[in-house]
Amino acid sequence: MIDHSLLNPTLTDAELEAGCKLALAYDVASVCILPYYLGRCAELLKGSTVKASTTIGFPHGGHASAIKLAEAKQALDDGGEELDVVVNISKVRSGDWGYALADLQPIVLLAHAHERKVKVIFENCYLNDEQKIRLCEICGEIGADWVKTSTGYGTGGATDDDLRLMRKHSPPHVQVKAAGGVRTLDRLLEVRALGVTRAGATRTAEMLDEGRRRLGLPPITP
């Protein structure tokens, strides 16, 4: 259930490469990587169950809608299997729900036409509950695959209250992803118990090593 996050803007090519290899060794759900490196990531993950993913409109969501859609097209061309799309936070806070829907729907339609999946990032730390609920409803209407708490680069991450709210107000076909602050195995298990099916993490090895220790399994060497 882990999306291994390689989105730190200071990562070097060598660190991105090592991160992909680590994700393969630990057999995580996906690698979420900086867009420019997605093609190489998809090449490294080819033939495995680990999916290549990247971000759209990251990290503030304020790109023009046409640019977001162009980013999505490029990501699909580069082998992206899952797209993590940031909402336009300003428009959401303005209550311009028509814009928010029109910003997201073409990306979901495009991805689904290519049998790829979309996670919609809310950046909850800047939103009130009414705005989060309306976004859950919109994501249900447009058929998004996941709603996601945050980019990991805002002022807050995944809280229990937000995860409960998102699960409650999203239809069953929309899954919930926790991102921001999932740094230990215990926290991973806590968010899973709240209905989360994916969690973004950078401390993937530490969490899964702890899991293997608890199960009495030998360590993994990437």
Side-chain angles (χ1 to χ4, degrees):
M1 65 178 287
I2 293 178
D3 288 346
H4 185 52
S5 178
L6 296 172
L7 298 172
N8 186 326
T10 65
L11 288 177
T12 65
D13 287 356
E15 289 168 334
L16 291 166
E17 196 99 352
C20 291
K21 291 176 180 175
L22 183 147
L24 278 173
Y26 284 87
D27 194 25
V28 299
S30 83
V31 174
C32 193
I33 203 158
L34 293 167
Y36 87 90
Y37 210 75
L38 181 60
R40 174 58 178 156
C41 173
E43 181 180 302
L44 287 168
L45 301 180
K46 189 175 181 180
S48 79
T49 59
V50 182
K51 299 186 183 308
S53 66
T54 193
T55 55
I56 306 297
F58 202 77
H60 303 306
H63 301 50
S65 297
I67 299 301
K68 284 183 171 177
L69 186 59
E71 278 192 287
K73 290 176 180 173
Q74 183 66 54
L76 297 178
D77 288 346
D78 289 342
E81 297 174 270
E82 296 179 356
L83 308 179
D84 289 38
V85 184
V86 188
V87 301
N88 185 311
I89 300 165
S90 296
K91 283 295 191 181
V92 170
R93 285 172 52 83
S94 300
D96 191 344
W97 301 115
Y99 186 101
L101 190 151
D103 191 47
L104 297 168
Q105 189 169 37
I107 297 172
V108 173
L109 290 172
L110 175 69
H112 286 179
H114 290 77
E115 300 183 344
R116 315 293 171 83
K117 295 187 176 181
V118 174
K119 307 176 189 110
V120 177
I121 305 174
F122 288 11
E123 203 67 298
N124 282 337
C125 58
Y126 301 124
L127 309 180
N128 61 38
D129 284 355
E130 181 182 348
Q131 291 159 347
K132 298 167 197 172
I133 290 169
R134 183 64 189 122
L135 274 178
C136 287
E137 293 169 348
I138 286 174
C139 287
E141 292 165 15
I142 64 176
D145 300 285
W146 278 270
V147 291
K148 176 177 170 181
T149 54
S150 64
T151 62
Y153 293 92
T155 58
T159 68
D160 287 0
D161 286 345
D162 278 345
L163 293 171
R164 290 191 190 96
L165 179 146
M166 294 168 80
R167 185 59 280 162
K168 179 180 178 181
H169 292 280
S170 299
H173 66 270
V174 179
Q175 302 177 66
V176 177
K177 176 177 173 179
V182 181
R183 299 187 179 94
T184 66
L185 177 62
D186 286 336
R187 182 58 183 153
L188 181 67
L189 295 173
E190 287 171 2
V191 300
R192 182 180 180 185
L194 294 173
V196 166
T197 59
R198 289 283 185 91
T202 56
R203 298 183 184 178
T204 302
E206 291 93 324
M207 288 193 291
L208 295 184
D209 284 347
E210 175 61 20
R212 294 183 71 85
R213 274 194 292 273
R214 292 184 190 183
L215 293 171
L217 298 173
I220 287 175
T221 303

